[in-house]
Amino acid sequence: MIELAPSILSADFAHLADQVSRAAEGGGTIIHVDVMDGHFVPNITLGPQLVKSLRKATKLPLDCHLMIENPDRYIPAFADSGADWISVHHEACPHLDRTLNLIKNHDCHAGVVINPATPVELLSEVLDIVDYVLVMSVNPGFGAQPFIPNSLHKLRKLRELREQRNLNYKIEVDGGVGLDTVARVVQAGAEILVAGNAVFSHGDPMTNAQTLLKVALEATLQKV
Ligand code: DX5
Ligand code: ZN
């Protein structure tokens, strides 16, 4: 099953509730929330307070992608504010097993994220405890960057490993997913498609989400 996770990074924050509900009407089923601290990535976005407001504006699961240093310090606040899914970067977690368990202990789905230069192999010891793996297909920090094709083999590898080891994690992709790239990511194994620019940067988020999902679903039918 393919799911679309509209990323509010590219939404109009002054009309966030409307933008999120339009994207949901277009078929978005998970709201992707990009949290940046100006240290781990060169940009600053939002914190638990906005998650709390969003929680009141939508019933959809909130997928908080923490691009921050020392995520352990903030995981409880995001969980208490209404996050349903929380992902942390492999590159930001010296005690990754502990951090993932902290997320689970707060009753959230736990995800691990890898940057474009990080190999899938480094996740070997945590694949059995995560609920999802997020493959960055751009260097994190900004929306609307070009898709990095090297991510495709990582998606394939994660699908193979899941089958070989009989595991259940979901495979999510984030960055540069749009009409020109979505077929390739879906065919490589991505099941949760994060899209910011393609959904929110122009026109109507509802139509944009619908069109993107349609192309994604057509691509799964072509899959061998
Ligand atoms: C990038 C963020 C992404 C971003 C993707 O650091 O993690 O979630 O919103 O944006 P697009 O879809 O515009 O590449
Ligand atoms: Zn993200």
Side-chain angles (χ1 to χ4, degrees):
M1 184 175 136
I2 300 294
E3 288 193 82
L4 177 64
S7 162
I8 61 164
L9 185 64
S10 293
D12 178 353
F13 276 32
H15 301 98
L16 197 49
D18 286 347
Q19 296 246 295
V20 164
S21 58
R22 285 304 279 171
E25 284 168 47
T29 46
I30 298 163
I31 302 303
H32 186 82
V33 181
D34 286 309
V35 179
M36 305 184 189
D37 66 351
H39 294 276
F40 180 67
V41 288
N43 197 2
I44 299 175
T45 54
L46 52 93
Q49 199 178 352
L50 190 123
V51 172
K52 203 168 175 178
S53 300
L54 257 183
R55 182 66 294 159
K56 292 183 221 150
T58 179
K59 290 192 164 47
L60 294 181
L62 301 177
D63 169 23
C64 292
H65 173 193
L66 303 188
M67 288 163 274
I68 62 177
E69 286 179 0
N70 194 6
D72 297 36
R73 185 168 167 191
Y74 300 99
I75 285 164
F78 280 99
D80 293 347
S81 302
D84 301 280
W85 301 21
I86 297 179
S87 63
V88 291
H89 273 255
H90 179 278
E91 303 84 3
C93 297
H95 306 291
L96 183 58
D97 178 85
R98 179 189 287 154
T99 304
L100 292 169
N101 280 304
L102 180 65
I103 298 172
K104 291 173 127 186
N105 291 339
H106 281 83
D107 292 326
C108 292
H109 289 308
V112 64
V113 194
I114 46 173
N115 277 337
T118 304
V120 165
E121 286 71 15
L122 288 181
L123 300 181
S124 173
E125 302 305 321
V126 294
L127 287 179
D128 57 342
I129 61 166
V130 293
D131 297 297
Y132 61 110
V133 179
L134 172 50
V135 173
M136 288 309 301
S137 39
V138 297
N139 287 295
F142 302 94
Q145 301 182 79
F147 179 80
I148 298 175
N150 208 34
S151 344
L152 293 170
H153 83 86
K154 297 207 241 178
L155 296 169
R156 283 188 214 105
K157 183 82 197 168
L158 282 164
R159 186 169 57 184
E160 274 167 34
L161 286 169
R162 183 173 62 189
E163 203 171 301
Q164 279 164 19
R165 293 176 53 180
N166 200 17
L167 297 172
N168 291 312
Y169 54 81
K170 296 220 156 116
I171 304 172
E172 183 174 25
V173 65
D174 184 3
V177 175
L179 292 176
D180 52 338
T181 52
V182 73
R184 282 182 285 159
V185 297
V186 161
Q187 286 169 354
E191 297 146 334
I192 302 170
L193 312 171
V194 176
N197 184 50
V199 172
F200 290 113
S201 289
H202 59 280
D204 178 7
M206 182 183 84
T207 320
N208 296 338
Q210 271 174 345
T211 313
L212 192 60
L213 265 174
K214 184 168 173 281
V215 176
L217 293 172
E218 281 167 5
T220 46
L221 298 176
Q222 288 160 18
K223 195 163 63 180
V224 242

